[in-house]
Amino acid sequence: MPSKTHVTATINGEEVEFLCEPHQSLLEVLRETLGLMGAKEGCNNGNCGSCNVILEGRLVNSCLVLAVEIQGKSVTTIEGIATPEGLHPLQQKFIEHAALQCGYCTPGFIVAAKALLDQNPNPSEHEVREWLAGNLCRCTGYDRIVKAVLDAADS
Amino acid sequence: MQSFDYATPKSAEEVATLLAGKNGEAQILAGGTDLLVQLREGRRQAKLVIDIKNIPELTQVTFDPQNGLRIGAAASCFQICSDPNVRQHYPGLVDAVRLIGGVQIQNRASVGGNLCNASPAADSIPALIVHEAVCHITGSNETRTLPVEEFCMAPGKNAMRPGEFLTSIGVPVPQGNFGASYLRFIPRSEMDIAVVGAGASVVLNAEGKQFVSARIALGAVAPTPLLASDAGAFLAGKAVTRENVREAAHRAQAIAQPITDLRGTAEHRRHLCAVLVERAVGKAIERAGGQYAQ
Amino acid sequence: MATLDKPSEYKVIGTSPLRHDGVDKVTGRAAYGADIRLPGMLYGAVLRSPHAHARIISMDTSEAEKLHGVHAVITAKDFPDLESRIVELGEGLVNRKYQSNNILARDKVLYFGHAVAAVAATSLHIAKEALDLIRVEYEALDPVMDVRKAMEAGSPILLDDLRTDEFGKKGETPTNIAGHYKDACGDIEKGFKEAKFIVEREFVTKMVHQGYIEPQNATAQYNPDGQVAIWCSTQGAFGVREQVAEILEIPISNIRVIPMEIGGGFGGKIGVYLEPLAALLSRKSGYRPVKLTMDRSEVLAATGPTSGSYIKVKMGADANGKITAAEALLIYEAGAYPGSPVGAGMGVIFAPYRIENGVIEGYDVVVNKPRTAAYRAPGGTNAAFAAETVMDELAEKLGMDPIEFRLLNGAQEGDRRVDGSAYKRIGYLETLEAAKESAHYKTPLSGPHTGRGVASGFWFNYGGKSSASVSVNKDGTVSLLEGSVDIGGTRTSLAMQLAETLGIPAEDVRPVVADTDSIGYTEGTYGSRTTFATGWAVYETARDLIEKLKERAAILWEVEKDKVTFESGVFSSGDKTLTFKELAEKLDETGGPVVASAAVQPKGYGPGFATHIVDVEVDPETGKVQILRYTAVQDVGKAIYPVYVESQIQGGVAQGIGWALNEEYLYDEQGRLLNTSLLDYRMPVALDLPMIDTILVEVANPGHPYGVRGVGEVPIVPPPAAIANAIYRAIGVRMTELPMSPARVVEALIHKP
């Protein structure tokens, strides 16, 4: 068995150290090693977006990143979206608009939507739909998710 | 996933050394969007994974008006699409690269990886072909250059020999009244692999009424992406008419050898070849400032 | 969302409070099954068949057992060898032997991905390595992939002991036909003689999956005293308890099932797959907890998708547009073991209409595909696709508007279905009227290759057993324990019914989904039953609580209990009044805590009807269909929590659109599933869909104190038919095969008559 690699990274604004094997995905290490259970596994090959995190300011599927790759880098997960003052506007709008049913895809959608609004504060409906096309939701038909993101952009 | 070692070399020479030492049991990691899935599913094996993203020359996108564009093998789709020079000069490439996966994939996947993965359905390859792109390949003691249309050998198999790796992709500066485009057909509007892909580039005369030259390429209709030389050659010197473009589309369709698989039927693919080539050439004409003669 | 304007007699019902579990779910804190971690936990993995149909000659697990880190390996030999017996498990009757064999194959594997062994190890990595060390010798058999071929004499037989259930009697020869059913009314020949127009068509639909985003998972901890705790993602914890008890032959009292948050189910998480394996692995590995999770390819290949089908429909109408006869043949894929929803399909197929002369015949047929499970209105979408397409064609022949044609023939109170069951108050005609008057239907559609389609749908809905219990807190809030897993906002739809009855705000209720040792028996969240039946349990609980609180008020006021009245959250007697909250503060002075509970099994569930309108644009060169506009009209009974009612409808429509256009199981000739990823099993993405408009028609169900009808299932029934009808208007071809993928549309255009 290969020896474990020591990785130092910034996760949700805090410096974190962990040991991992090179084959472990970032998703696996977030969940199994660091106990950050908000990123979900839906497909484990980049097709559903449930494991979305923001890596160095860019949206990625954490199932398609090796944990060793984040050495020296910064990662934001769903656990880092709310502030000490309260929920992020996206989180608030998701609740208000009933933009979730089972909630399993929700962390991935909120992280993806945050990455969108960070770079495009006023997206059109089409831009929201295009951006969120890498995130699957099977409960809502997306209608309320799109509305929540548009409303969060307005507020 | 299978166990492997992980290396982060700082130079291309180091990559060559690592590859030479592993005797074909190493895999290059750029964005990982294909490689990690394939390793997980056992479709590729690796004792060593070599992450090339820490090597500046392999991750940069540079442009100069003489030599054209140089895309580092590990440069991400997002990086390529947001480069102002790429956006200005390489419209077909932009079309294709923007289609590779959703945002999450765009931020990781590289065009170099898309090429090395040698999927018949890879979106970037027909676009690179119509832009006359070449592959810069490095081995332990030599470097060589290969036109993109000669790079893919079979599904998942490229022309690189053991110990070689792709360092960059070179794309010449378009000349004259140039336009290019890439279109693909997918059943959904995102998150799909091309059922058929079609790239086209045209150079029109000063009036925009005649083709000086044209290149047409197809994806997902043969074991490798295809350059439809005959279809492109047919257009050279011809008037910019819908009939001529249709004829070129039929010539392109004639070289397709589509199969039926989970992503499409052979019949549908053959049919789509003509439809997409006609549309792709039409778009390229428009971008070159031309329009169909009435 | 539009609702019919009507002043509400309610204070809480019909409003939109924030869901109680909202913050947990938007912050990543909600704990789903795979989020469980227990001390000393092992990780399991399952070995699956590469063959669609094969006999297991031998299995050797010795090398896997020797691998460092492996703690247990199990095969079917570790399961009790069960005799055939039909038992009630979860939703419907199943043969427990077949269910056991589905979870772990014993003599034969019957589909690609069929489980044959399972391993527990210190890491998932090691568990998967161990799978590679298990040697299984198979004798490959010819796979049977098509229902009509499976029915032919001489077809390879899947189950040696299967005999046809022929109208309730068992056949005598081995067969792949598990069941043959028939309903009839009137005189079918006379009916067709009276018809001026007759349309007859055949339809084919493919196997599709529920597509919940959370893969199946189960974690079990066996104790040396025989007690086992199971944490899992299920639609019904009590159903899991029963199934595990039957399969492992252990008493239900030894099993505690803790339902975790569930990431979607749609019917696919009623039956168990991993739970018995996790329990047995835990026992065999020295009582260490074992977690099993499926990956996506396992979910697609080896859980329970819904049936593909072959359906033939023949309908006739007279010159005035009255339907004179309706005939249907439905053949459904059961998958590897009996149990397709063909019976439900038979019930749905002509349900919206008054049929005086009808014959409906159905077959349940086993094929080498995964054993089908429920999927939202199981069997209904296939059936409606066929019948509603024929209805559209009849309307066309009659020169009638498709909604007018349906209004003329629509079922209402007192009408009977072909199977004889009579309707109580239903709202089908109201959905048609609302559709006709909708802004969508009144707006002309223009543009090349565009078309508008209409289709209706029906679903039975269900009642079943539910329990609830409440306790009053000192601050005037109420804790609600209930056994219905919350898949889409039912904590709140239940809390709202409690709050309405108690006259308190919904926010003052703390709803908790309890485990099987903490709440009375409650059936799963299926059959569109939770807001109806558990809602009723909650209502009864509230009434019980009010009576108990009246006693407390009577003590305080020193009056007889019957002198205390309760209305809108206020207890009063003469000039004395106490709000619910004020009384809650005084419980200690009147005898201490107050709790109440109720268990119900209501029968008055009311069926749901829907009428959908869709506009499409077809690219005739590529065959691609774009949904331009969609309006779903539905009789929802009373909408308790309207935003989530609307969301249920939108989600059902989206699944229906996926089924209509792109979703299907693709098998190769050897019966291997080709599309085992979400890249190639093409569910709609956000960019594929428009906003989905809804019109909620509220025809209260007389069988529920608050008028609740189930709402979750019927919205998936009309979409494929509505879209097929729209495609016809757009390009003039009748699509009779699902999905109406671009390749099939182009093919149909090429062969256009």
Side-chain angles (χ1 to χ4, degrees):
Chain A
M1 198 181 296
S3 60
K4 290 201 172 188
T5 304
H6 177 260
V7 176
T8 307
T10 305
I11 295 181
N12 298 330
E14 277 182 37
E15 194 174 286
V16 170
E17 290 179 66
F18 59 86
L19 293 173
C20 67
E21 290 178 37
H23 67 80
Q24 288 185 290
S25 69
L26 175 57
L27 174 63
E28 189 182 340
V29 165
L30 286 173
R31 291 178 55 83
E32 301 292 330
T33 308
L34 302 174
L36 294 168
M37 294 294 192
K40 301 297 179 199
E41 179 183 317
C43 70
N44 212 26
N45 54 11
N47 297 320
C48 78
S50 300
C51 67
N52 280 179
V53 301
I54 296 173
L55 171 61
E56 294 285 286
R58 311 288 321 165
L59 185 68
V60 300
N61 293 310
S62 62
C63 70
L64 291 186
V65 176
L66 294 176
V68 287
E69 291 185 72
I70 72 161
Q71 168 62 40
K73 297 195 160 59
S74 97
V75 174
T76 304
T77 70
I78 184 67
E79 288 88 351
I81 303 284
T83 62
E85 287 71 49
L87 295 180
H88 185 278
L90 275 164
Q91 293 172 312
Q92 191 60 38
K93 292 298 176 191
F94 264 62
I95 301 175
E96 285 173 15
H97 281 268
L100 62 147
Q101 280 182 34
C102 79
Y104 193 78
C105 70
T106 308
F109 269 97
I110 288 175
V111 170
K114 179 175 188 300
L116 168 63
L117 299 188
D118 284 350
Q119 65 119 50
N120 179 2
N122 279 303
S124 66
E125 181 190 332
H126 184 83
E127 285 170 329
V128 171
R129 288 186 183 274
E130 197 169 28
W131 186 276
L132 296 179
N135 289 73
L136 289 173
C137 169
R138 191 63 159 172
C139 295
T140 65
Y142 305 103
D143 184 297
R144 295 177 161 275
I145 293 174
V146 173
K147 285 173 182 156
V149 174
L150 290 170
D151 192 18
D154 283 341
S155 62
Chain B
M1 204 184 323
Q2 54 192 294
S3 296
F4 48 74
D5 290 320
Y6 172 78
T8 53
K10 298 288 180 297
S11 69
E13 294 70 37
E14 219 183 306
V15 177
T17 310
L18 285 165
L19 276 176
K22 276 291 171 182
N23 203 18
E25 291 187 313
Q27 297 283 353
I28 302 279
L29 171 70
T33 54
D34 281 324
L35 181 68
L36 297 186
V37 174
Q38 291 164 357
L39 288 173
R40 200 170 276 149
E41 292 174 359
R43 288 190 280 141
R44 269 184 211 275
Q45 313 300 323
K47 290 273 190 313
L48 173 68
V49 166
I50 305 169
D51 185 348
I52 59 169
K53 290 191 295 296
N54 296 313
I55 305 169
E57 78 173 281
L58 298 194
T59 54
Q60 285 163 357
V61 178
T62 58
F63 177 81
D64 78 72
Q66 270 69 51
N67 300 313
L69 181 69
R70 208 172 170 99
I71 301 169
S76 72
C77 291
F78 164 76
Q79 199 185 337
I80 295 164
C81 283
S82 45
D83 186 283
N85 289 308
V86 175
R87 295 169 82 97
Q88 188 183 340
H89 300 289
Y90 303 97
L93 186 59
V94 173
D95 286 347
V97 174
R98 287 175 73 148
L99 289 174
I100 299 173
V103 180
Q104 300 88 332
I105 301 294
Q106 292 269 304
N107 285 331
R108 296 282 292 173
S110 65
V111 167
N114 198 232
L115 192 50
C116 291
N117 191 47
S119 160
D123 288 307
S124 72
I125 303 179
L128 288 168
I129 291 173
V130 300
H131 277 290
E132 298 185 67
V134 296
C135 309
H136 296 292
I137 298 164
T138 295
S140 45
N141 29 13
E142 60 161 0
T143 62
R144 61 186 179 121
T145 299
L146 205 60
V148 168
E149 57 267 29
E150 292 170 25
F151 186 76
C152 298
M153 308 303 285
K157 194 172 172 350
N158 61 47
M160 291 192 295
R161 299 185 277 261
E164 288 188 327
F165 65 101
L166 182 75
T167 52
S168 67
I169 299 157
V171 200
V173 184
Q175 304 295 320
N177 288 334
F178 177 88
S181 84
Y182 173 80
L183 290 171
R184 71 172 180 190
F185 181 78
I186 54 172
R188 289 185 286 190
S189 46
E190 268 281 359
M191 297 296 286
D192 261 328
I193 304 293
V195 176
V196 174
S201 68
V202 300
V203 179
L204 305 182
N205 70 357
E207 293 76 37
K209 296 199 167 144
Q210 198 179 57
F211 294 102
V212 174
S213 64
R215 279 171 79 86
I216 292 168
L218 296 168
V221 294
T224 64
L226 296 177
L227 169 63
S229 318
D230 177 49
F234 168 80
L235 287 178
K238 297 277 193 320
V240 178
T241 65
R242 200 176 285 279
E243 291 66 39
N244 283 330
V245 172
R246 270 201 190 133
E247 176 57 26
H250 284 119
R251 286 173 185 235
Q253 188 185 31
I255 67 161
Q257 311 147 351
I259 56 163
T260 293
D261 65 9
L262 75 168
R263 293 181 180 138
T265 63
E267 299 72 33
H268 193 219
R269 285 185 156 127
R270 192 181 304 282
H271 172 86
L272 286 171
C273 268
V275 173
L276 292 189
V277 168
E278 188 184 330
R279 290 182 184 181
V281 175
K283 187 88 191 160
I285 292 168
E286 191 188 311
R287 284 175 173 165
Q291 60 178 37
Y292 287 123
Q294 291 304 310
Chain C
M1 171 173 54
T3 49
L4 301 186
D5 288 331
K6 210 168 52 174
S8 176
E9 67 262 51
Y10 301 122
K11 288 202 170 67
V12 179
I13 286 172
T15 66
S16 296
L18 300 183
R19 65 189 279 173
H20 297 77
D21 54 345
V23 172
D24 280 347
K25 286 182 174 160
V26 300
T27 53
R29 289 179 180 177
Y32 294 81
D35 299 340
I36 275 279
R37 290 197 301 173
L38 299 170
M41 190 171 80
L42 301 174
Y43 296 79
V46 176
L47 183 67
R48 296 183 180 279
S49 167
H51 300 285
H53 193 190
R55 208 171 295 285
I56 299 171
I57 304 297
S58 68
M59 242 195 273
D60 179 0
T61 59
S62 56
E63 289 303 309
E65 283 157 24
K66 282 183 218 154
L67 184 70
H68 185 73
V70 170
H71 286 254
V73 180
I74 58 170
T75 67
K77 289 206 180 87
D78 295 278
F79 268 14
D81 192 358
L82 300 178
E83 291 297 311
S84 278
R85 195 172 81 211
I86 305 295
V87 288
E88 166 82 44
L89 292 177
E91 198 179 31
L93 304 171
V94 297
N95 182 324
R96 62 184 202 138
K97 174 185 164 188
Y98 289 158
Q99 204 194 8
S100 171
N101 292 351
N102 189 37
I103 291 167
L104 217 46
R106 186 167 287 270
D107 308 313
K108 275 178 99 180
V109 289
L110 293 172
Y111 54 94
F112 173 83
H114 199 159
V116 294
V119 173
T122 48
S123 77
L124 187 56
H125 193 67
I126 294 171
K128 286 194 171 165
E129 259 181 71
L131 296 185
D132 292 339
L133 300 174
I134 299 174
R135 299 276 162 262
V136 188
E137 194 189 337
Y138 295 101
E139 178 199 344
L141 303 168
D142 289 337
V144 183
M145 305 305 288
D146 177 86
V147 281
R148 279 174 291 170
K149 286 192 182 138
M151 291 169 78
E152 287 169 6
S155 164
I157 295 291
L158 274 72
L159 301 161
D160 295 334
D161 61 349
L162 185 65
R163 301 291 179 271
T164 304
D165 177 351
E166 182 86 21
F167 313 129
K169 272 173 61 184
K170 283 280 172 205
E172 283 168 7
T173 48
T175 176
N176 291 321
I177 304 171
H180 180 201
Y181 315 99
K182 195 168 179 179
D183 294 322
C185 68
D187 180 341
I188 193 79
E189 279 174 31
K190 177 174 149 279
F192 279 118
K193 271 191 201 132
E194 287 167 9
K196 181 172 185 216
F197 297 105
I198 293 176
V199 174
E200 181 172 7
R201 280 193 183 272
E202 294 173 73
F203 300 85
V204 172
T205 75
K206 297 301 174 69
M207 185 169 264
V208 295
H209 198 270
Q210 298 84 359
Y212 38 79
I213 308 299
E214 178 206 29
Q216 264 83 354
N217 56 74
T219 304
Q221 181 162 286
Y222 224 106
N223 280 348
D225 63 0
Q227 298 285 326
V228 56
I230 298 171
W231 295 260
C232 59
S233 171
T234 177
Q235 290 176 236
F238 288 87
V240 171
R241 188 178 71 169
E242 282 159 346
Q243 293 173 72
V244 172
E246 281 288 345
I247 290 160
L248 299 184
E249 294 195 307
I250 52 179
I252 54 169
S253 55
N254 280 18
I255 305 167
R256 181 164 73 106
V257 178
I258 304 105
M260 304 296 290
E261 294 298 337
I262 173 172
F266 313 109
K269 290 180 181 167
I270 301 169
V272 300
Y273 300 94
L274 300 176
E275 290 83 349
L277 301 179
L280 220 50
L281 284 169
S282 174
R283 191 167 76 192
K284 209 173 173 183
S285 57
Y287 305 106
R288 285 176 69 167
V290 175
K291 173 152 89 177
L292 279 167
T293 55
M294 285 197 192
D295 66 24
R296 181 55 56 178
S297 66
E298 293 177 287
V299 171
L300 286 165
T303 59
T306 198
S307 310
S309 55
Y310 165 86
I311 301 175
K312 193 156 77 174
V313 170
K314 183 179 174 188
M315 294 178 88
D318 68 18
N320 299 321
K322 180 174 173 274
I323 298 169
T324 57
E327 189 174 19
L329 167 69
L330 301 89
I331 308 175
Y332 277 37
E333 294 171 341
Y337 300 97
S340 78
V342 70
M346 291 167 65
V348 167
I349 195 157
F350 300 129
Y353 308 108
R354 237 179 317 152
I355 305 292
E356 284 167 15
N357 306 298
V359 175
I360 306 171
E361 209 175 339
Y363 288 93
D364 181 31
V365 179
V366 294
V367 290
N368 290 114
K369 297 182 184 180
R371 201 281 194 186
T372 57
Y375 176 21
R376 201 169 207 153
T381 303
N382 319 38
F385 170 58
E388 292 294 300
T389 302
V390 169
M391 283 293 290
D392 195 63
E393 202 169 344
L394 268 180
E396 187 199 8
K397 284 190 189 296
L398 286 157
M400 287 181 79
D401 172 273
I403 293 183
E404 293 295 349
F405 179 48
R406 286 174 171 82
L407 273 168
L408 187 66
N409 291 286
Q412 46 191 305
E413 188 170 356
D415 287 334
R416 288 179 183 276
R417 293 201 301 268
V418 174
D419 63 15
S421 43
Y423 290 122
K424 296 199 177 71
R425 180 75 174 94
I426 53 172
Y428 177 48
L429 296 180
E430 286 82 348
T431 69
L432 290 167
E433 292 289 356
K436 197 171 89 177
E437 296 306 317
S438 67
H440 185 169
Y441 207 64
K442 286 184 161 175
T443 307
L445 175 65
S446 60
H449 314 304
T450 61
R452 174 168 298 162
V454 173
S456 294
F458 158 88
W459 188 247
F460 310 86
N461 296 328
Y462 178 56
K465 294 163 274 191
S466 278
S467 307
S469 67
V470 296
S471 52
V472 180
N473 301 314
K474 240 183 199 167
D475 58 1
T477 62
V478 178
S479 299
L480 166 64
L481 277 185
E482 45 100 358
S484 286
V485 170
D486 182 355
I487 315 186
T490 53
R491 279 184 179 86
T492 305
S493 72
L494 298 174
M496 288 171 75
Q497 294 182 67
L498 184 68
E500 182 72 47
T501 318
L502 296 178
I504 62 175
E507 292 77 7
D508 283 0
V509 179
R510 302 308 309 163
V512 172
V513 179
D515 67 58
T516 52
D517 280 348
S518 310
I519 185 70
Y521 191 95
T522 301
E523 286 186 55
T525 298
Y526 50 67
S528 298
R529 64 175 297 278
T530 297
T531 301
F532 171 79
T534 310
W536 197 321
V538 163
Y539 170 77
E540 291 293 343
T541 303
R543 302 234 306 186
D544 182 28
L545 184 68
I546 290 164
E547 290 309 308
K548 288 175 171 165
L549 289 174
K550 278 184 184 170
E551 283 172 21
R552 299 306 180 88
I555 293 169
L556 278 176
W557 293 330
E558 299 177 338
V559 297
E560 292 299 312
K561 187 197 156 196
D562 58 13
K563 295 282 183 291
V564 180
T565 60
F566 177 79
E567 211 187 315
S568 301
V570 180
F571 294 87
S572 50
S573 181
D575 56 356
K576 299 191 195 76
T577 63
L578 278 173
T579 65
F580 185 92
K581 191 171 179 168
E582 287 163 349
L583 181 55
E585 286 167 9
K586 298 181 192 301
L587 294 183
D588 281 354
E589 319 163 20
T590 59
V594 176
V595 299
S597 62
V600 300
Q601 189 175 14
K603 308 282 189 198
Y605 50 96
F609 286 88
T611 298
H612 290 192
I613 311 163
V614 61
D615 296 349
V616 305
E617 181 176 1
V618 182
D619 181 337
E621 289 188 324
T622 64
K624 190 162 174 168
V625 175
Q626 189 68 40
I627 307 293
L628 301 175
R629 185 172 182 181
Y630 205 106
T631 302
V633 188
Q634 186 174 324
D635 169 20
V636 298
K638 177 67 204 165
I640 300 293
Y641 193 14
V643 285
Y644 277 86
V645 170
E646 178 178 63
S647 189
Q648 282 289 329
I649 294 173
Q650 291 166 329
V653 167
Q655 287 182 313
I657 291 172
W659 195 340
L661 296 180
N662 284 310
E663 292 180 32
E664 65 178 309
Y665 269 40
L666 297 162
Y667 284 95
D668 69 9
E669 285 179 0
Q670 283 76 45
R672 289 177 297 228
L673 183 63
L674 296 171
N675 51 342
T676 56
S677 75
L678 293 178
L679 182 63
D680 292 312
Y681 184 81
R682 300 180 178 113
M683 310 197 296
V685 302
L687 198 53
D688 292 331
L689 301 176
M691 293 297 183
I692 296 159
D693 295 329
T694 63
I695 298 174
L696 308 185
V697 175
E698 295 189 295
V699 177
N701 173 18
H704 186 275
Y706 290 123
V708 173
R709 281 179 205 277
V711 297
E713 289 174 287
V714 74
I716 201 175
V717 178
I723 292 167
N725 295 338
I727 291 173
Y728 175 73
R729 310 278 162 178
I731 54 169
V733 293
R734 288 277 172 204
M735 300 299 299
T736 56
E737 190 169 344
L738 294 184
M740 298 175 281
S741 61
R744 287 197 180 95
V745 171
V746 166
E747 175 83 14
L749 270 172
I750 289 169
H751 296 111
K752 186 175 170 178

